[in-house]
């Protein structure tokens, strides 16, 4: 990495911890709310992968575009999408960031340049290439940050998009969240090349494997890549090695992996490792952790109350926005 | 007014599209064209010939053979504030980009609660008649017309080829333009003044009192020929060029049907589960008591389009099969 790691002080430690705890507590509450029927449809939780979303977002500017997947609550929160609007979206309420029309898999907040919430594996990758093309042709220094899972690398759209971005030297930060399972299919049962960053290297894209359980390592890698992309170096690729602690969705009995495997990953999870390391260095305390966790819970409580009180979109609005409204935005 | 406005130059359908492209590229810096072989090659159907030299590689972009990536990139660039025109060489290859067109372009505006309009224009060649065999002869515009969230147009004349592309670029929605391969060489005249073209309304190409021929694209000319052959028999056929397949111009269709009390739909698509079936159903729902005869349809035979000319001709709607369907309706 060319960029030097930013200095690690107490403030930065607590900020990252807070950002990860907000996601963890939000997702845990979502699981409860799903059980109670407040959230329906497909729900994919980000537990275990918080360091990726939080780390990457530190490297992005407000003008950068973000394209995400159906496991995107963590990305949205780290990007600054208000928790109230996010929770209301999961409830399907009008106050949701997509008017409640997208639900868990389709979080949009164009004011924060957050372009979904794309629920077909790989479908968002060409979008990110196009957003980057627009930014380049408009003469900006912005980039498009594109998240996808390791399952997406088997799709044609992944391979077509990497080639196109490399060929046209577009400012795309490709980020593969490699959590080892495409739903229930283990990586080594679906890919001939399991070192995914090497696939990107095949398109002559600078590519790096990063410990996705270490938020600061992710942050440093993303900052370095973003700086080189902004300088006109063309796309870069990060393979962020991580693990999802919960099931793929709420309908998954997890027959494809052992409890021992999950436990071993939990022991090196993004919150545990981070907390242990910085307690030892004296940059945070158990009280800090408990306070931030409590604050996160309070924010989640408020978001749930907001979502519960919010209105449904009136049925007579169903046909709005099938086509763009003239004169609107 | 220039002299050429008084004396329109003879030109072709492909020239008309090129003129619209050139005009848009000159007028709006957000507009660019991308697709397979649109630059150095000049376009598979020579539509974009000369544009690379005039506008450069940034705005006339040759793409790899990656339909999903470059169509998706067009959608992304549209969301990102540009006005991309994406050329897919033929609608046959558009199936490789179906995910982007159906799952992205058609859904993003509604699914995001109106935050994400997608002002992309996607042009593609469609249709049969050039002995290109089954994989290069599809007519998929009817399929695409099934999808809410996108607009489907099929210009049949030079003025529409030019004017509807311009109108599509002014539209904030994804617009798919289907250009029938048999039309690119068609000659005609274009005026200096650009007549208003829209992408929602049908246009009456021939007025008649006895039967309405409802059609679009290259089949328009087969219908006009059929109408000419019917006139000596005392059957005055009206020919309505649908132009927009989504939305369908119900008002124009119903007005034609109510006036003539008979309708024959002529469509190069297959008939099962088709656009012609949809139009027929709408007529039945709205004009049932106005009809003097069941709605007729002349469509492509339900088989892959074969290569040899005699079989291809037999598979497709022809002026004679249209005329014969009308004659049968009148017992003639």
């Amino acid at each position: 990495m060319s960029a030097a790691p930013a200095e690690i002080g107490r403030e930065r430690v607590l900020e990252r911890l807070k950002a990860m705890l907000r996601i963890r507590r939000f997702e845990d509450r979502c699981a409860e709310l799903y059980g109670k029927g407040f959230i329906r449809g497909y729900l994919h939780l980000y537990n275990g992968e918080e360091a990726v979303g939080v780390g990457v977002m530190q490297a992005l500017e407000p003008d950068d575009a973000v394209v995400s997947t159906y496991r995107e609550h963590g990305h949205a929160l780290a990007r600054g999408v208000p928790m109230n609007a996010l929770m209301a979206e999961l409830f399907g309420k009008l106050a949701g960031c997509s008017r409640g029309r997208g639900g868990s898999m389709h979080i949009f907040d164009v004011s924060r340049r957050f372009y979904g919430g794309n629920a077909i594996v790989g479908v968002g990758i060409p979008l990110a290439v196009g957003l980057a093309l627009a930014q380049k042709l408009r003469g900006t220094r912005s980039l498009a940050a594109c998240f996808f899972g390791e399952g997406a690398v088997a799709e044609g759209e992944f391979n077509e998009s990497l080639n196109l971005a490399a060929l046209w030297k577009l400012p795309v930060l490709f980020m593969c969240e490699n959590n080892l399972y495409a739903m229930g299919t283990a990586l080594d049962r679906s890919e001939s090349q399991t070192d995914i960053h090497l696939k990107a290297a095949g398109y002559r894209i600078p590519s790096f494997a990063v410990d996705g359980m270490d938020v600061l390592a992710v942050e440093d890698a993303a900052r370095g890549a973003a700086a080189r992309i902004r300088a006109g170096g063309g796309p870069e690729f990060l393979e962020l090695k991580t693990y999802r602690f919960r099931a793929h969705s709420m309908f998954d009995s997890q027959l494809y992996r052992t409890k021992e495997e999950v436990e071993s990953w939990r022991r090196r999870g993004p919150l545990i490792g981070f907390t242990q390391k910085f307690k030892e260095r004296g940059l945070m305390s158990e009280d800090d952790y408990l306070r931030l966790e409590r604050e996160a819970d309070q924010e989640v409580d408020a978001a749930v109350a907001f979502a519960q009180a919010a209105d449904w979109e009136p049925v007579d609005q169903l046909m709005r926005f099938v086509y763009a409204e003239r004169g609107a935005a | 007014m220039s002299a050429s406005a008084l004396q329109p130059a003879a030109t072709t359908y492909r020239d008309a599209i090129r003129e619209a492209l050139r005009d848009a590229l000159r007028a709006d810096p957000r507009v660019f064209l991308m697709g397979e072989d649109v630059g150095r090659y000049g376009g598979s159907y020579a539509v974009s010939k000369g544009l690379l030299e005039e506008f450069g590689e940034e705005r006339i972009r040759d793409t790899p053979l990656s339909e999903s990536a470059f169509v998706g990139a067009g959608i992304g660039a549209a969301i990102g504030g540009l006005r991309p025109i994406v050329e897919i060489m033929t609608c046959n290859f558009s199936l490789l980009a179906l995910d982007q067109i159906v799952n992205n372009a058609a859904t993003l505006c509604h699914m995001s609660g109106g935050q994400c309009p997608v002002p992309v224009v996607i042009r593609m060649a469609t249709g049969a008649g050039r002995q290109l065999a089954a994989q290069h002869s599809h007519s998929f515009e009817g399929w695409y017309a099934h999808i809410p969230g996108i607009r489907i147009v099929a210009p049949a004349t030079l003025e529409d080829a030019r004017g509807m592309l311009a109108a599509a670029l002014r539209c904030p929605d994804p617009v798919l333009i289907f250009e029938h391969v048999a039309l690119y060489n068609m000659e005609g005249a274009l005026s200096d003044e650009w007549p208003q073209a829209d992408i929602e309304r049908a246009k009456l190409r021939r007025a008649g009192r006895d039967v309405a021929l409802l059609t679009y694209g290259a089949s328009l000319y087969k219908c006009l020929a059929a109408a000419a052959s019917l006139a000596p028999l005392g059957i005055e056929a009206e020919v309505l060029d649908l132009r927009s397949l989504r939305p369908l111009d119900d008002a124009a269709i119903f007005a034609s049907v109510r006036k003539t009390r008979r309708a024959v739909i002529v469509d190069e698509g297959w008939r099962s589960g088709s656009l012609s079936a949809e139009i027929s159903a709408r007529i039945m729902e709205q004009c049932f008591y106005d009809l003097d005869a069941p709605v007729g349809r002349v469509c492509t035979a339900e088989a892959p389009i074969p290569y040899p000319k005699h079989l291809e001709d037999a598979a497709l709607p022809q002026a004679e099969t249209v005329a014969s369907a009308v004659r049968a309706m009148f017992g003639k």
Side-chain angles (χ1 to χ4, degrees):
Chain A
M1 297 287 133
S2 61
E7 192 194 332
I8 300 167
R10 175 173 160 81
E11 191 182 349
R12 185 171 172 221
V13 166
L14 294 183
E15 276 178 10
R16 301 300 174 268
L17 180 61
K18 177 181 175 177
M20 290 193 288
L21 272 171
R22 281 178 82 229
I23 297 170
R24 178 66 60 91
R25 303 305 285 180
F26 181 89
E27 296 291 63
D28 284 343
R29 189 71 63 88
C30 285
E32 287 175 36
L33 292 163
Y34 197 89
K36 292 177 183 165
F38 289 105
I39 300 173
R40 308 298 299 267
Y42 283 134
L43 178 67
H44 309 89
L45 300 177
Y46 201 53
N47 299 50
E49 308 186 31
E50 296 91 342
V52 173
V54 170
V56 165
M57 292 306 168
Q58 310 308 320
L60 302 187
E61 302 289 338
D63 287 344
D64 294 331
V66 180
V67 176
S68 183
T69 68
Y70 51 80
R71 196 182 303 284
E72 86 283 36
H73 307 166
H75 302 152
L77 287 171
R79 179 61 175 173
V81 176
M83 193 184 282
N84 283 359
L86 182 59
M87 189 61 90
E89 186 62 33
L90 303 194
F91 274 58
K93 297 292 186 75
L94 180 58
C97 51
S98 305
R99 296 174 71 91
R101 290 166 167 211
S104 167
M105 299 192 288
H106 301 297
I107 303 302
F108 281 81
D109 184 347
V110 170
S111 71
R112 291 174 178 80
R113 304 212 73 205
F114 194 87
Y115 295 100
N118 294 283
I120 306 291
V121 172
V123 80
I125 308 176
L127 277 192
V129 170
L131 284 158
L133 175 61
Q135 285 158 202
K136 186 179 183 186
L137 292 180
R138 297 170 82 187
T140 74
R141 292 183 74 252
S142 305
L143 58 82
C146 182
F147 290 98
F148 46 88
E150 89 291 340
V153 309
E155 297 284 359
E157 290 183 315
F158 166 85
N159 293 282
E160 292 185 11
S161 298
L162 260 64
N163 179 55
L164 194 61
L167 189 70
W168 290 354
K169 295 194 167 42
L170 299 178
V172 189
L173 176 54
F174 292 107
M175 290 170 295
C176 177
E177 296 182 303
N178 179 3
N179 67 19
L180 298 176
Y181 292 90
M183 215 163 103
T185 302
L187 178 60
D188 61 7
R189 295 182 62 235
S190 64
E191 284 296 319
S192 60
Q193 172 56 273
T194 54
D195 283 321
I196 288 168
H197 61 284
L198 296 180
K199 289 176 173 285
Y203 294 103
R204 305 177 76 175
I205 295 176
S207 60
F208 308 91
V210 182
D211 179 1
M213 290 304 192
D214 180 343
V215 66
L216 298 177
V218 173
E219 181 176 338
D220 289 342
R223 282 187 192 279
R228 290 186 297 271
I229 293 168
R230 288 185 212 290
E236 298 216 4
F237 188 101
L238 303 179
E239 178 190 350
L240 303 146
K241 292 174 179 286
T242 184
Y243 198 80
R244 86 176 133 68
F245 292 168
R246 286 183 174 271
H248 167 74
S249 70
M250 307 310 281
F251 306 99
D252 170 11
S253 46
Q254 303 190 64
L255 301 174
Y256 50 84
R257 61 183 191 181
T258 64
K259 288 199 170 82
E260 292 73 27
E261 179 184 303
V262 178
E263 271 317 304
S264 76
W265 277 95
R266 279 185 182 275
R267 282 195 293 275
R268 51 175 301 247
L271 283 164
I272 289 180
F274 185 89
T275 304
Q276 198 175 334
K277 182 158 86 179
F278 291 108
K279 272 186 188 169
E280 282 169 12
R281 292 199 202 171
L283 292 176
M284 61 165 286
S285 65
E286 182 65 15
D287 281 350
D288 289 326
Y289 188 98
L290 293 173
R291 175 176 55 81
L292 291 172
E293 191 175 54
R294 199 164 54 241
E295 285 172 11
D297 284 343
Q298 287 164 356
E299 191 185 0
V300 175
D301 287 342
V304 173
F306 175 84
Q308 280 175 329
D311 292 327
W312 301 103
E313 185 169 26
V315 170
D316 65 9
Q317 306 271 298
L318 170 67
M319 299 308 291
R320 282 188 74 187
F321 308 119
V322 174
Y323 297 97
E325 293 189 351
R326 306 301 191 272
Chain B
M1 187 180 280
S2 67
S4 58
L6 302 171
Q7 232 176 3
T11 183
T12 64
Y13 184 91
R14 82 158 52 75
D15 295 331
I17 301 169
R18 188 186 309 121
E19 190 175 328
L21 289 172
R22 182 179 281 125
D23 186 76
L25 285 156
R26 283 180 181 163
D28 187 344
R30 299 173 304 169
V31 172
F32 69 101
L33 173 70
M34 67 175 158
E36 293 157 355
D37 275 325
V38 298
R40 289 201 186 175
Y41 190 95
S44 177
Y45 293 94
V47 167
S48 51
K49 201 171 175 188
L51 297 182
L52 175 66
E53 291 73 15
E54 185 175 349
F55 297 101
E57 288 190 344
E58 286 286 279
R59 300 184 69 200
I60 308 296
R61 306 183 77 93
D62 279 321
T63 65
L65 310 192
S66 303
E67 286 81 3
S68 200
F70 70 75
V71 170
I75 295 165
I79 291 167
L82 299 183
R83 288 290 180 275
I85 303 167
V86 181
E87 177 177 308
I88 302 177
M89 200 177 276
T90 78
C91 75
N92 311 284
F93 314 155
S94 77
L95 302 191
L96 294 161
L98 214 48
D99 183 34
Q100 288 299 325
I101 296 169
V102 177
N103 278 321
N104 267 348
T107 66
L108 290 178
C109 186
H110 190 265
M111 190 170 73
S112 67
Q115 292 179 83
C116 241
V118 183
V120 67
V121 172
I122 303 173
R123 301 174 35 242
M124 60 187 100
T126 187
R130 288 161 48 97
Q131 288 194 259
L132 298 178
Q135 293 180 345
H136 280 69
S137 301
H138 290 303
S139 292
F140 285 136
E141 54 276 4
W143 255 25
Y144 282 106
H146 176 66
I147 313 292
I150 54 180
R151 293 173 177 274
I152 309 299
V153 301
T157 66
L158 273 65
E159 286 294 5
D160 279 351
R162 183 176 67 171
M164 292 177 86
L165 176 52
L169 281 165
R170 287 193 300 271
C171 176
D173 304 315
V175 182
L176 274 59
I177 303 180
F178 288 84
E179 302 161 0
H180 197 288
V181 290
L183 297 176
Y184 286 117
N185 286 331
M186 183 173 69
E187 291 189 349
L190 276 176
S191 66
D192 248 18
E193 309 298 314
W194 290 42
Q196 279 290 320
D198 70 55
I199 51 172
E200 292 202 335
R201 272 183 281 273
K203 193 158 184 168
L204 199 61
R205 300 294 183 187
R206 177 191 170 111
R209 61 169 193 272
D210 298 323
V211 60
L213 302 180
L214 309 174
T215 191
Y216 65 91
S219 297
L220 169 64
Y221 300 97
K222 294 173 177 174
C223 289
L224 289 170
S229 77
L230 290 165
L233 306 178
I235 301 171
E236 286 301 330
E238 169 150 313
V239 180
L240 185 70
D241 177 3
L242 297 170
R243 302 205 301 170
S244 170
L245 308 184
R246 187 175 193 103
L248 279 169
D249 186 351
D250 285 340
I253 294 169
F254 300 155
S256 236
V257 172
R258 287 186 179 122
K259 175 178 149 194
T260 60
R261 309 183 76 84
R262 292 177 181 82
V264 175
I265 304 158
V266 180
D267 181 4
E268 219 179 282
W270 293 300
R271 80 173 57 208
S272 299
S274 68
L275 186 73
S276 64
E278 173 63 26
I279 295 168
S280 174
R282 290 189 192 196
I283 293 170
M284 186 274 288
E285 287 161 353
Q286 298 293 325
C287 306
F288 185 77
Y289 298 104
D290 299 298
L291 289 172
D292 283 347
V295 172
R297 284 192 284 166
V298 180
C299 300
T300 288
E302 304 250 336
I305 309 277
Y307 158 69
K309 184 164 182 357
H310 71 292
L311 290 182
E312 183 179 43
D313 285 347
L316 299 174
Q318 303 294 351
E320 175 46 35
T321 50
V322 174
S324 128
V326 173
R327 285 196 305 271
M329 208 172 237
F330 287 89
K332 290 188 179 179

